[in-house]
Amino acid sequence: MNESRELLEKLGYPSKDLQELPTSTKTFPDGAQYRIELPSVEGPKALKETLKEIDRYGLTVHRVSQGSGIMLQTDDEIKEMCELTAERGMELSLFAGPRGTWDLSAGPLTDAGKSQALRHEGSDQLVYAMEDLKRGAELGLRGALVADEGLLLMTKEMKKNGQLPEDFVVKVSVQMGSANPVSVKIMEDLGADTYNVPPALTLAKLASIRQAIDIPMDMYVEVPDNFGGFLRYYEIPEIIRVLAPVYIKFGLRNHPDVYPSGKQWESTNISLAQERVRRASIGVQMIKRYYPEAKTSKLGAEGLGLPKTGSTSAVY
């Protein structure tokens, strides 16, 4: 065992989970330790209600993300979402699709094949996902979720080849599942700009990942049921201290599966969006109560994937 630990240390990785929970000295480009993310904002109407609730609670939310994806939004819907977030200095992140669970293959739906999750099967589906990203960027989008190692690498190559803008934020979904310092560092090397860590990891395990990577971590503090349904609100101050730079992400327990979404889920999505903001307000109060000195970003801060609007959106 010592030999294995020594090799990890020689390669620059932690050789054990960090039970001492060291304070992270890493930050966002503006010096902030944390930002706030609201996921599952499914379409313009849910986004509008989310923004109303954010104003009502007086919150600062830096990123909204959406699971149904670029493929299932019309051009006008994507443009509208870009405009609504851009004018506030908020990042918008839409999922790249199609993915495995929506394809013909039964593999991702079997007990043994769930690890295939939202990965892209075959070359054609990988191309479709690349086209999704290009379409989003041309409409002004500057952030997307990916859940496939091959697509992640291709985002890096697409930026090099002028097919995606350099400032396009590639957010790796929690569906990727990498859960140790070496595997998450591989995601960073492949092109991840932020990484959503598995929400069931202990702080000691998460601390070891933080030591190995420099990119922001995205961390659910309320977790959707299919990932465990954990509520980690009282841990938020320590999560910020140990994992900075970190996006504090408010999902919902008891959240119905609304993906892929559409008008059939519209009223449900609106009520879910409203409750998600209320949950975020509870989390922010925890920060103010137990870690008031923690630094957060202003809207429009460096590193956010702020959408571009108007006729210049496709120029990169």
Side-chain angles (χ1 to χ4, degrees):
M1 193 176 293
N2 286 338
E3 185 178 65
S4 296
R5 294 191 189 279
E6 287 170 4
L7 180 57
L8 280 168
E9 291 173 3
K10 181 180 178 180
L11 295 172
Y13 296 105
S15 61
K16 61 179 181 178
D17 296 336
L18 301 184
Q19 303 295 339
E20 66 275 22
L21 300 181
T23 297
S24 173
T25 60
K26 300 173 183 179
T27 66
F28 288 99
D30 60 353
Q33 295 167 281
Y34 75 96
R35 293 174 178 172
I36 302 294
E37 176 180 349
L38 297 178
S40 303
V41 181
E42 302 300 305
K45 290 191 177 180
L47 176 57
K48 288 177 183 176
E49 291 302 319
T50 297
L51 297 176
K52 286 181 185 177
E53 291 298 287
I54 286 171
D55 291 343
R56 191 165 75 84
Y57 282 97
L59 299 179
T60 297
V61 174
H62 304 88
R63 172 197 279 164
V64 293
S65 54
Q66 179 253 29
S68 296
I70 299 167
M71 182 180 75
L72 293 180
Q73 296 286 315
T74 68
D75 288 1
D76 287 343
E77 287 170 338
I78 292 174
K79 287 178 182 178
E80 185 176 7
M81 293 186 80
C82 285
E83 289 166 0
L84 289 168
T85 49
E87 67 186 14
R88 290 178 176 245
M90 294 169 62
E91 179 175 316
L92 173 65
S93 189
L94 307 183
F95 223 116
R99 51 259 204 190
T101 49
W102 296 359
D103 200 15
L104 297 176
S105 170
L109 307 178
T110 65
D111 288 340
K114 287 180 180 177
S115 61
Q116 292 171 231
L118 301 189
R119 288 169 170 81
H120 304 289
E121 298 184 346
S123 296
D124 283 350
Q125 200 173 72
L126 186 60
V127 169
Y128 302 155
M130 293 165 66
E131 289 297 303
D132 232 23
L133 292 170
K134 289 193 289 184
R135 173 174 168 249
E138 288 168 0
L139 294 170
L141 189 65
R142 289 297 181 270
L145 294 94
V146 304
D148 180 279
E149 299 90 336
L151 180 60
L152 180 57
L153 177 59
M154 290 312 300
T155 64
K156 189 174 182 179
E157 295 300 322
M158 290 166 77
K159 289 181 181 181
K160 288 180 183 177
N161 287 275
Q163 295 185 25
L164 278 181
E166 285 291 334
D167 62 352
F168 196 96
V169 174
V170 179
K171 168 180 162 58
V172 175
S173 166
V174 68
Q175 300 276 2
M176 189 77 88
S178 298
N180 65 67
V182 179
S183 61
V184 179
K185 181 62 169 66
I186 291 171
M187 298 300 109
E188 181 178 33
D189 293 344
L190 287 176
D193 294 307
T194 76
Y195 184 83
N196 199 143
V197 291
L201 296 179
T202 64
L203 272 174
K205 292 176 180 177
L206 291 166
S208 71
I209 294 173
R210 168 43 71 208
Q211 296 302 305
I213 64 171
D214 294 321
I215 58 174
M217 298 165 72
D218 310 334
M219 179 69 192
Y220 273 109
V221 294
E222 181 165 350
V223 185
D225 298 74
N226 57 346
F227 276 93
F230 317 115
L231 279 71
R232 302 183 69 168
Y233 284 80
Y234 273 100
E235 290 181 86
I236 294 175
E238 279 292 86
I239 288 170
I240 293 171
R241 182 183 69 81
V242 175
L243 302 188
V246 61
Y247 281 88
I248 303 299
K249 185 173 177 178
F250 294 90
L252 274 182
R253 189 168 179 170
N254 298 323
H255 187 313
D257 185 354
V258 297
Y259 313 111
S261 201
K263 286 191 176 295
Q264 77 274 31
W265 285 108
E266 201 162 82
S267 61
T268 299
N269 279 328
I270 287 172
S271 64
L272 292 170
Q274 291 168 336
E275 181 58 24
R276 206 173 287 110
V277 177
R278 191 181 78 87
R279 295 287 227 275
S281 73
I282 294 170
V284 170
Q285 288 174 1
M286 289 279 188
I287 298 169
K288 292 179 179 178
R289 186 178 302 123
Y290 297 114
Y291 197 7
E293 66 272 27
K295 296 179 181 178
T296 190
S297 295
K298 294 181 180 179
L299 294 177
E302 182 182 352
L304 289 170
L306 306 180
K308 311 298 180 185
T309 59
S311 59
T312 60
S313 63
V315 178
Y316 47 83

